[in-house]
C-alpha cells in the first residue's frame, strides 16, 4: 500500500533483518523497526510492534528462518527447537503464526536457505490471499453502503491489502462511494489509531465511533454490513477475533445486519473442533488502565485513565459462535461458517 508516494508492506526481510512498520507509533509517527535476530522479532511480536494475524504470521515465519540462518552446526537441533518454542510463545491466539512457523520449520530441516525461501513464500501468499479476499468481499458491497468494522484487519494487520478492509478499498476503486464506521476498539484502540490511519491514507470516508455506539447505529438502520477479521477459525465456523467482536455479531443478528468475517484459509484451525478449543490471550491490565497518545504539542504521553488502586481484566479476543456469522470471505470465495463448508474448502487446499 502507498504511504505518501512510497509503496510499503507491513513486514519484509532485508538481508537477515526483519523489517516492519512500527505499529505502536502509528498514527503519530511513521517509523520502520529493524529486528536483526529471531529474538528481536519475537520481542516485536510480543510487544505488538507488529500485530494482526497475517502480519504476525509473516513475522514469525521470518523469525523461524532467522533462527535457522544463525544456528551453528553443533548447536543446531537444540537451538532450532528452542527458537521455535520462543516464537510460538509470543502470542497464542492467531493461527497464522503457528501455520507460518510450522511451514518454515519443515523447510529449514532441508537447509537454512530453504527456510528463508519458505518464509518469503508465506509472506507473498498472505498478500495474494488478502487481494483475493478483496475481490470476493467487494461483491457484497453495494453502492453507498455503510460498513462497520472492528479492530484493524486492514493492510497493517497483514503483509498487504488486509482482509476486512480489502473489499472496502476495492469498492472505493469501483466508485461505490462507501462509508465506514470504525469501532475505536479499546483497550489498544487499533480501530481509532490504525484503521482510521489506513482509511485516511486511502481517502476512504469514515468516522470513529465509541465501542458502545454500534447498537444505537444499528438500531437506527445506519449500518448495512459488518465486516471483521479473524485470528483463528475453528472447524465448526466459530471465530476468535478482537475482544468486542461477539457483541457486534449479536447486535447484527438482532438488527438484521449481515455480519461477515474475512480471513485467509491459514486462519482456519481444523484441530480446534469449536471455539471452546481456541486459546485466548490475556494481556497486561496496564493496557486498560493507561492510554498512550500525544498532547497538543505533539509530545508522547502515557496517562492513567482508571481509578488508582483498581485492577483490570484484559482478554485480547472473544469467540463469536458460527450461528451469528453470515459468511466467511476467503481467498477461495465466500463460504458458510459451517463445518461441512469449511471441511470442503480446507480439503480442496
Ligand atoms: O491484538 P491484535 O491487534 O494483533 O489483534 C489481531 C487483530 O488484528 C484483530 O483481531 C483483527 O480483527 C483480526 S484480523 C488481523
Amino acid at each position: 500500500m502507498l504511504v505518501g508516494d512510497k509503496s510499503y508492506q507491513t513486514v519484509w526481510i532485508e538481508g537477515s533483518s526483519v523489517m516492519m512498520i512500527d505499529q505502536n507509533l502509528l498514527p503519530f509517527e511513521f517509523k520502520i523497526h529493524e529486528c536483526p535476530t529471531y529474538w528481536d522479532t519475537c520481542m516485536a511480536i510480543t510487544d505488538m510492534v507488529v500485530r494482526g494475524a497475517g502480519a504476525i504470521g509473516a513475522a514469525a515465519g521470518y523469525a523461524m528462518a532467522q533462527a535457522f540462518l544463525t544456528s551453528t552446526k553443533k548447536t543446531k537441533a537444540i537451538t532450532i527447537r528452542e527458537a521455535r518454542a520462543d516464537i510460538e510463545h509470543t502470542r497464542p491466539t492467531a493461527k497464522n503464526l503457528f501455520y507460518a512457523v510450522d511451514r518454515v520449520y519443515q523447510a529449514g530441516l532441508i537447509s537454512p536457505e530453504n527456510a528463508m525461501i519458505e518464509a518469503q513464500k508465506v509472506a507473498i501468499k498472505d498478500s495474494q490471499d488478502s487481494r483475493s479476499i478483496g475481490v470476493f468481499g467487494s461483491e457484497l458491497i453495494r453502492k453507498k453502503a455503510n460498513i462497520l468494522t472492528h479492530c484493524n484487519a486492514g493492510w497493517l494487520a497483514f503483509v498487504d491489502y488486509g482482509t476486512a478492509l480489502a473489499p472496502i478499498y476495492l469498492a472505493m476503486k469501483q466508485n461505490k462511494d462507501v462509508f465506514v464506521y470504525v469501532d475505536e476498539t479499546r483497550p489498544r484502540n487499533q480501530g481509532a489509531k490504525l484503521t482510521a490511519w489506513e482509511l485516511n491514507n486511502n481517502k476512504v470516508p469514515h468516522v470513529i465511533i465509541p465501542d458502545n455506539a454500534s447498537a444505537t447505529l444499528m438500531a437506527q438502520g445506519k449500518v448495512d454490513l459488518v465486516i471483521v477479521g479473524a485470528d483463528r477459525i475453528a472447524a465448526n465456523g466459530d471465530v476468535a477475533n478482537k475482544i468486542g467482536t461477539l457483541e457486534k455479531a449479536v447486535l447484527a443478528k438482532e438488527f438484521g445486519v449481515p455480519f461477515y468475517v474475512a480471513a485467509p484459509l491459514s486462519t482456519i484451525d481444523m484441530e480446534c473442533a469449536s471455539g471452546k478449543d481456541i486459546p485466548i490471550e490475556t494481556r497486561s491490565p496496564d493496557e486498560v488502565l493507561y492510554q498512550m497518545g500525544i498532547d497538543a504539542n505533539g509530545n508522547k504521553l502515557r496517562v492513567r485513565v482508571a481509578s488508582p488502586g483498581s485492577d483490570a481484566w484484559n482478554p485480547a479476543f472473544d469467540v463469536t459462535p458460527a450461528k451469528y456469522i453470515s459468511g466467511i470471505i476467503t481467498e477461495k470465495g465466500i463460504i458458510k461458517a459451517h463445518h461441512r463448508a469449511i471441511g470442503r474448502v480446507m480439503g480442496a487446499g
Side-chain angles (χ1 to χ4, degrees), residues 54 96 126 129-130 133 158 163 230 233 262-268 329-331:
N96 309 59
D126 182 85
D129 289 347
S130 293
I133 285 168
F158 291 83
T163 52
I233 301 176
L265 299 184
S266 51
T267 302
I268 296 175
I329 310 165
T330 76
E331 70 272 26

Side-chain angles (χ1 to χ4, degrees), residues 48 51-53 91 151-153 157-158 190 229-231 241-242 317:
M48 293 176 68
R51 36 73 40 208
R91 298 199 67 193
C151 193
N152 173 264
F158 291 83
Q190 288 97 327
D231 293 274
N241 192 50
K242 181 54 57 190
F317 303 95

